[in-house]
Amino acid sequence: YPPARLGTRAHVRSSIVTHGTIVNGTVERSVLFPGVVVEEGAVVRDSIVMGESWIGPRAELDRCILDKRVHVGRGARIGTGEALRPNRACPEHLSTGITIVGKAARVPEGLVVGRNVRVAPDMVEEDFPRGEVACGDVLEREGQSAHGETGS
């Protein structure tokens, strides 16, 4: 990867931005792995974003962990609201307000995702509900178990 590139309107504070990243938005108290792109107007706060992920214009991440190659659509908001409800599938691990998005998931434009949510790997736009995902939910593709395994 080439060196990290910060756009003229980028704001990066208390973060680790690795080689190959392109930041045109705001990154605060976060870690961006190689090849991450944060588009203009996007905000990444208190999050870990793994390699080759794309954060669309005006998208917002707050207290999230995104696996590699995640695509966050324009204006999507992940990690919103109060962390009052733990995750229904694994409350012992997801009860502090962190939202997890699995590898290669494609979060649709404008979707609002609450806290303590777990999004399975390889989800595509059509797999997500319209509008909003409540705190503590688990999103997985049809035929996929809570641990990401596919049915026979």
Side-chain angles (χ1 to χ4, degrees):
Y1 288 102
R5 205 170 65 203
L6 303 179
T8 57
R9 296 184 183 171
H11 299 283
V12 178
R13 191 178 78 186
S14 302
S15 298
I16 298 174
V17 177
T18 59
H19 51 285
T21 57
I22 299 172
V23 178
N24 291 308
T26 300
V27 179
E28 298 175 342
R29 299 175 305 278
S30 297
V31 178
L32 304 183
F33 280 64
V36 170
V37 176
V38 178
E39 295 291 0
E40 192 166 326
V43 177
V44 178
R45 185 178 301 111
D46 298 318
S47 297
I48 299 170
V49 182
M50 296 187 195
E52 300 175 22
S53 292
W54 182 79
I55 314 304
R58 296 187 330 274
E60 294 180 30
L61 305 179
D62 189 39
R63 300 192 70 202
C64 298
I65 300 172
L66 273 58
D67 204 340
K68 57 188 162 187
R69 294 190 309 277
V70 169
H71 177 104
V72 179
R74 172 185 300 272
R77 294 178 21 225
I78 304 175
T80 65
E82 298 294 319
L84 301 176
R85 200 169 102 195
N87 185 271
R88 64 180 164 85
C90 54
E92 65 280 359
H93 294 115
L94 285 176
S95 60
T96 61
I98 295 173
T99 295
I100 298 174
V101 181
K103 183 166 97 176
R106 296 185 59 86
V107 179
E109 274 187 31
L111 183 69
V112 176
V113 179
R115 297 192 187 279
N116 297 323
V117 172
R118 188 178 73 200
V119 177
D122 300 313
M123 297 265 297
V124 294
E125 288 90 343
E126 295 79 26
D127 296 328
F128 287 86
R130 298 253 186 257
E132 189 167 342
V133 177
C135 292
D137 273 356
V138 175
L139 297 177
E140 54 199 18
R141 296 181 87 170
E142 194 170 316
Q144 195 173 42
S145 75
H147 300 289
E149 301 152 355
T150 56
S152 46

